[in-house]
Amino acid sequence: MRRPSAASLLLQRMLKLPPPITRDLVVERDLQVPMRDGAILLADRWAPRSDGQGLPTVLVRGPYGRGGPIAAQLVRPLAERGFQVVMQSARGTGGSSGSFFPMRHERLDGLDTVEWVCKQPWFGDSIVLYGPSYLGYTQWAMADHLPAQVKAMIPAVTESALSLEFLRRDAFNLEAAFGWGALVDMQKRPWATPRFLMGARRRRRAELTLPLSDADQVALGHRSEIIQDFLTHDSESTYWAGARHDDKVAQVEVPVSMITGWFDVFLQGQLRDYITLKQAARQPRLTVGPWSHTSPELNSVLVHEALDFGLAHAHGADPSDRAPVRVYVMGAEQWRDLTTWPPPGYAPRRYHLQPAGRLAAEPPPQSHPDSYRYDPADPTPAAGGNRLLPGIEAGRVDNTALEARPDVLTYTSDVLDDDLEIIGDVCAQIWFRSSRRHTDVFVRVCEVDPTGRSTNICDGLSGLTGADELACVTVALTSTAYLFKRGHRIRVQVSSGAFPLYNRNPGTGEPRLTATTLQSASQHIHHDPDHPSAVLLPVRTR
């Protein structure tokens, strides 16, 4: 008898999986999949060595190669437990012909691949689309035009318009756009992820480079077309028109189970996709955990959902009975079942910024504005939060050092007499004026425990033009689910940046690609009866 694979046993334990049907797999390498324009994309097929033909097929498409952690942690467990898996390298990656242009070819290439799978002698009449991040985007790219053989899709930490969030004109996510471009560039060489992690110091120097058009040279030693495209074209540009699929989500009829995290950079887009499906009378599933984009716990959740939701639909059966929406309530550190998102029973409650750094439900008294100086040459740093890349601290972190900076204002409530639960969308309305016409406003909600430790919960940034005139700035923070415990306090931070998560605002109005001049700004936060700055929290009402 063949001894069980040590890797298989380790994965079973690490992913908390039931014993497999088989550990004896065969992998067919470099299968050639023809595209309608003559390109050939390469794929690997994982299947049980015996009786692999006719099993439901999981299709995984992406630009990160067909080996390494993705194959080991996301593909092998499925092939051992009732699926055969086809893992394909996107155009221009992993030996597939053509050139890789992010999000440009995934719709037609994906549909051609599905058609090819359906014609193979080993095909068993059902396909499940599956995978995280870009591997999830490739599902959305074709989701409204799928044949009947596709029975379900399971996209995780992704969204239907992948560039919308980190290429926003008013809040450019430099770290994600620049770092992901560098990561994809390194896929051309062996050991891409270790190379990427070891290059962190060079990337940090590159992110400070002016003009940003030269940053890829600093980080990579050569020009990157992907990075240049990200720096040149924001999410509103027609350049990305063919890459956005959020306008097609309402036409998606295949069952969808979405997985994301409160600290994933694509959280808001994934929640938007869920709401669109619900409004179109679909019945999607949504799971939101306390994770960031690269949290290892995501792999276990994704595999389990494929073996429950995916395998059931592949066989024409119902998946396990669970609530349509499951969210992890941080602070309480427990899962909560909801009927929909956003959930009923929660209403926005205003917490007003007050003089002397207080935060309270009552309107503020007459008072003078608070001020701070923002200097893009010494930008306010990012600390935790919604991050994309491996090797970067994400999620909930200690904000003590950040809040000690003179360019960060804090407003803190009294000690809470009772638990306070919030689930839903969060926003801030800040009465703001700057000495510069162009600047940013960053707002973050934190919890302060009895020891004084301040931990971030959610945040957001709005870029302003015309900031030299006093106005009320609305900042959309990321959605959340959190329990502020009795004896703790609520804190709101206000600053003008979170670098390099967001590109520093130079204060000049120059395009981010070519800006070379940095100008500091004096910022003023008003909190008085005529200018009641506040954060709006979705507080539980029943």
Side-chain angles (χ1 to χ4, degrees):
M1 178 182 294
R2 180 176 298 187
R3 296 180 61 187
S5 162
S8 176
L9 289 168
L10 179 62
L11 282 171
Q12 178 182 337
R13 197 172 304 120
M14 184 173 68
L15 300 178
K16 301 177 182 177
L17 295 171
I21 298 171
T22 179
R23 300 187 196 271
D24 190 11
L25 304 179
V26 61
V27 184
E28 298 178 60
R29 306 284 186 186
D30 297 335
L31 300 176
Q32 297 190 2
V33 185
M35 302 292 104
R36 66 189 68 188
D37 64 353
I40 300 294
L41 307 190
L42 299 185
D44 296 344
R45 172 178 170 259
W46 292 62
R49 189 175 299 275
S50 300
D51 302 320
Q53 293 200 8
L55 293 177
T57 300
V58 165
L59 176 60
V60 183
R61 303 189 63 253
Y64 305 121
R66 302 189 303 281
I70 293 178
Q73 296 185 35
L74 297 181
V75 172
R76 183 186 185 100
L78 301 188
E80 293 180 338
R81 291 170 175 81
F83 284 109
Q84 50 187 328
V85 184
V86 173
M87 188 174 188
Q88 184 186 63
S89 290
R91 181 182 293 247
T93 71
S96 292
S97 65
S99 299
F100 180 63
F101 294 101
M103 301 171 283
R104 289 289 179 181
H105 297 287
E106 307 309 345
R107 182 174 177 83
L108 295 183
D109 286 356
L111 291 171
D112 287 350
T113 301
V114 168
E115 181 180 358
W116 176 85
V117 168
C118 292
K119 293 178 180 178
Q120 301 311 300
W122 39 259
F123 179 59
D125 297 328
S126 64
I127 298 175
V128 174
L129 308 181
Y130 162 86
S133 194
Y134 197 95
L135 284 63
Y137 168 80
T138 62
Q139 301 170 49
W140 285 117
M142 56 177 171
D144 66 308
H145 201 65
L146 294 169
Q149 291 92 335
V150 178
K151 306 300 183 182
M153 52 185 281
I154 308 172
V157 288
T158 190
E159 58 154 310
S160 60
L162 203 61
S163 64
L164 275 182
E165 289 302 318
F166 67 79
L167 299 184
R168 279 172 49 196
R169 180 175 296 176
D170 71 321
F172 183 74
N173 192 320
L174 176 64
E175 182 179 78
F178 183 79
W180 189 79
L183 179 62
V184 171
D185 184 89
M186 292 178 182
Q187 297 296 318
K188 303 170 187 175
R189 291 172 284 173
W191 304 99
T193 299
R195 285 176 181 272
F196 178 83
L197 296 175
M198 289 187 293
R201 187 170 297 177
R202 291 182 64 184
R203 288 200 314 280
R204 291 294 167 261
R205 289 201 305 270
E207 289 162 346
L208 288 165
T209 297
L210 293 176
L212 275 175
S213 57
D214 295 337
D216 49 3
Q217 296 278 359
V218 174
L220 301 171
H222 60 268
R223 181 182 172 90
S224 163
E225 188 170 353
I226 292 174
I227 291 175
Q228 293 294 323
D229 282 347
F230 285 161
L231 293 173
T232 304
H233 307 288
D234 60 47
S235 59
E236 298 177 32
S237 170
T238 56
Y239 182 84
W240 300 113
R244 293 182 52 167
H245 303 285
D246 50 317
D247 60 339
K248 306 181 185 72
V249 172
Q251 284 74 54
V252 174
E253 297 183 352
V254 64
V256 181
S257 179
M258 291 179 275
I259 302 166
T260 188
W262 295 125
F263 297 104
D264 177 43
V265 70
F266 299 119
L267 168 66
Q268 297 307 124
Q270 193 137 15
L271 295 176
R272 182 196 64 241
D273 290 337
Y274 172 85
I275 292 170
T276 300
L277 288 172
K278 286 292 292 182
Q279 291 174 342
R282 312 291 187 252
Q283 299 300 322
R285 291 214 309 202
L286 174 67
T287 304
V288 190
W291 311 306
S292 67
H293 193 79
T294 57
S295 294
E297 298 90 344
L298 276 165
N299 291 336
S300 177
V301 176
L302 187 52
V303 170
H304 278 271
E305 194 67 355
L307 296 175
D308 174 23
F309 183 87
L311 198 56
H313 280 292
H315 287 299
D318 293 327
S320 63
D321 186 21
R322 53 151 271 191
V325 177
R326 294 196 73 221
V327 303
Y328 190 86
V329 181
M330 299 176 291
E333 312 306 330
Q334 61 183 217
W335 288 95
R336 183 75 52 78
D337 288 343
L338 305 174
T339 57
T340 191
W341 181 270
Y346 295 81
R349 180 183 297 176
R350 295 178 65 87
Y351 287 85
H352 292 95
L353 278 56
Q354 309 275 351
R358 292 187 63 247
L359 182 75
E362 64 266 17
Q366 200 66 44
S367 60
H368 296 290
D370 295 324
S371 301
Y372 63 95
R373 179 175 178 270
Y374 174 71
D375 183 2
D378 179 24
T380 314
N386 296 58
R387 315 298 278 270
L388 175 69
L389 301 169
I392 295 174
E393 188 177 39
R396 292 180 278 178
V397 304
D398 186 351
N399 276 231
T400 303
L402 176 65
E403 293 172 353
R405 288 179 59 101
D407 55 0
V408 178
L409 300 182
T410 61
Y411 301 85
T412 309
S413 74
D414 293 338
V415 172
L416 297 175
D417 294 328
D418 297 294
D419 289 351
L420 180 76
E421 182 179 274
I422 63 171
I423 300 181
D425 301 330
V426 181
C427 76
Q429 296 172 349
I430 307 297
W431 284 91
F432 180 87
R433 182 177 62 82
S434 174
S435 63
R436 297 290 176 191
R437 179 171 172 79
H438 302 276
T439 194
D440 295 337
V441 176
F442 178 81
V443 179
R444 166 170 277 182
V445 174
C446 298
E447 180 188 57
V448 182
D449 69 16
T451 71
R453 176 188 170 101
S454 178
T455 302
N456 56 295
I457 298 169
C458 58
D459 53 56
L461 180 143
S462 288
L464 308 180
T465 299
D468 50 348
E469 298 287 340
L470 178 61
C472 184
V473 178
T474 297
V475 181
L477 282 64
T478 50
S479 303
T480 194
Y482 203 91
L483 179 72
F484 294 93
K485 294 181 180 179
R486 180 170 62 88
H488 292 219
R489 293 177 289 165
I490 305 169
R491 176 168 291 170
V492 173
Q493 295 176 13
V494 181
S495 63
S496 288
F499 181 82
L501 175 60
Y502 296 104
N503 186 41
R504 53 189 172 165
N505 194 315
T508 63
E510 295 177 271
R512 60 174 170 265
L513 185 68
T514 57
T516 56
T517 302
L518 301 176
Q519 294 181 339
S520 61
S522 296
Q523 320 290 50
H524 306 277
I525 308 299
H526 291 250
H527 38 66
D528 58 61
D530 294 326
H531 310 99
S533 296
V535 63
L536 282 72
L537 301 180
V539 175
R540 187 173 186 175
T541 58
R542 65 173 188 266

